[in-house]
Amino acid sequence: MPKFVPYDVQVIRQRFPILNRKVKGKDLVYFDNAATAQKPIEVIEALSHYYSTYNANIHRGLHTLADEATAAFEETRNAVKEFIGAAHVEEIIFTKGTTESINLIASSWGEAFLSKGDEIILSSLEHHANIVPWQMIAEKKGAVIKVIPMNDEGQMDMNGFHALLSEKTKMVAVVHASNALGIIHPVEEIIRAAHERGAAVLIDGAQSSVHLDIDVREMDCDFYVFSGHKVYGPTGTGIAYGKKQILESMPPFLGGGEMIKEVSFEKTTYNDLPFKFEAGTPNIADVIALRPALEFINQLGKFAIREHENALLIEITARLQQVEGVRIIGAVDHKVPVVSFVADGAHPQDLAYLLDNNGIAVRTGHHCAQPLMKRLGIVGTTRVSFAAYNTLQEVDAFMVALEKSLKMLR
Ligand code: PLP
């Protein structure tokens, strides 16, 4: 049985050195967690420990440092497998982020399985990372992209989705939780319906992996991708999960060392999974330091983190709804802790600047989801996104700074 650890946000904050810093003379309030999360001390120390005690290239070396580095690297793979409930460790491929993971899958899976006239279904809410790679492979293979419509709140129109499905559908690639609005989409229904038509499904888990319980076997998605830096881990780490049978039938993405069994000028044979998709020296230090990040989440438990973050989300939503001229986009119940809003008479960029003067970091703009902004008829939003270490006092500080900034702008 895991040991019960009571949720004490002040104790949790002590594990994040950056939270002690000041910005413009004020206590930092970091509300840009959907862009990247801050790192606990264990992650920072793992990086330093690797470089100061066992830095070596992995898998090929026959010396102590190489053995230690290889073991630590592969331990993270195992930790990721547990984190998302994969069946096999070789289904976990390390990349440098969600973007690279989707490029890998679109390029390699698309090369093997797409033909002229085939259809790829995306949604109106996708991050550019889950649009452009599909456009690139669609252009190459003569495939067609179809887009799931959405309602004005930012929820996917499921009737619209079902109407798009046909024998031509080969891939459905959708975001689990929208980075721009926070809305959680009904991926289980999408996966079931796509599979009934024989289509594969990729779930962009960049925003869901840190907040929701992920079990890829139960979900039954064919691919699930996410970034290490959004789950309190280092930048430059990403995961591409794929069902073993499908990954085995895909050609490699990049060629080079590590991904081969034998190379000759006549014929090269490729390595087994997962190495077939990991050409060259990987991001060893950062992958190793991803494990303590996952341990941080596991120790607290996603349920406890969610309860805490949801309390913040409920509070800020209620308070924003009381501010004159502020409109929350996507004010629905089923969300990750993200709130996106527009304010009359205040351009999001001006607002971000004024909030920063108060030590508050938020994200503004189109959130790499330009088609979504166009559909909503807005240039962008101001987005607050919470993590395990945020507090109600920070929400108070934010509300005071927001009201003050709006007064200055109007
Ligand atoms: N997909 C979603 C939903 C995201 O929120 C992000 C990043 O914000 C990405 C993809 C791209 O992630 P990365 O920049 O880590 O590759």
Side-chain angles (χ1 to χ4, degrees), residues 179-237:
N179 63 306
L181 307 180
I183 296 175
I184 301 168
H185 302 294
V187 291
E188 294 77 10
E189 182 182 339
I190 291 173
I191 294 165
R192 221 178 307 117
H195 283 172
E196 276 167 18
R197 297 291 188 140
V201 182
L202 175 144
I203 301 298
D204 175 351
Q207 297 297 334
S208 60
S209 44
V210 66
H211 303 293
L212 307 180
D213 298 310
I214 303 299
D215 186 325
V216 288
R217 263 183 294 177
E218 199 180 300
M219 238 198 267
D220 198 28
C221 53
D222 302 286
F223 300 104
Y224 182 86
V225 295
F226 67 104
S227 299
H229 69 97
K230 293 188 201 276
V231 294
Y232 307 99
T235 52
T237 55

Side-chain angles (χ1 to χ4, degrees), residues 34-35 97-100 102 127 129 175 177-179 204 206-207 227 229-230:
T98 305
T99 304
E100 187 179 292
I102 300 175
H127 188 283
V175 68
S178 153
N179 63 306
D204 175 351
Q207 297 297 334
S227 299
H229 69 97
K230 293 188 201 276

Side-chain angles (χ1 to χ4, degrees), residues 81-147:
K81 167 188 172 275
E82 299 298 320
F83 190 69
I84 61 169
H88 309 281
V89 76
E90 50 291 18
E91 295 178 321
I92 308 299
I93 296 157
F94 288 118
T95 65
K96 67 181 163 60
T98 305
T99 304
E100 187 179 292
S101 298
I102 300 175
N103 274 276
L104 181 160
I105 293 160
S107 164
S108 171
W109 177 90
E111 190 58 46
F113 294 104
L114 283 178
S115 310
K116 194 166 171 18
D118 285 345
E119 293 180 359
I120 300 162
I121 297 182
L122 310 176
S123 85
S124 323
L125 293 119
E126 299 310 315
H127 188 283
H128 298 163
N130 199 30
I131 299 176
V132 185
W134 297 110
Q135 289 174 324
M136 287 158 62
I137 191 71
E139 196 177 341
K140 188 169 168 206
K141 304 290 278 190
V144 178
I145 290 177
K146 300 270 168 175
V147 183

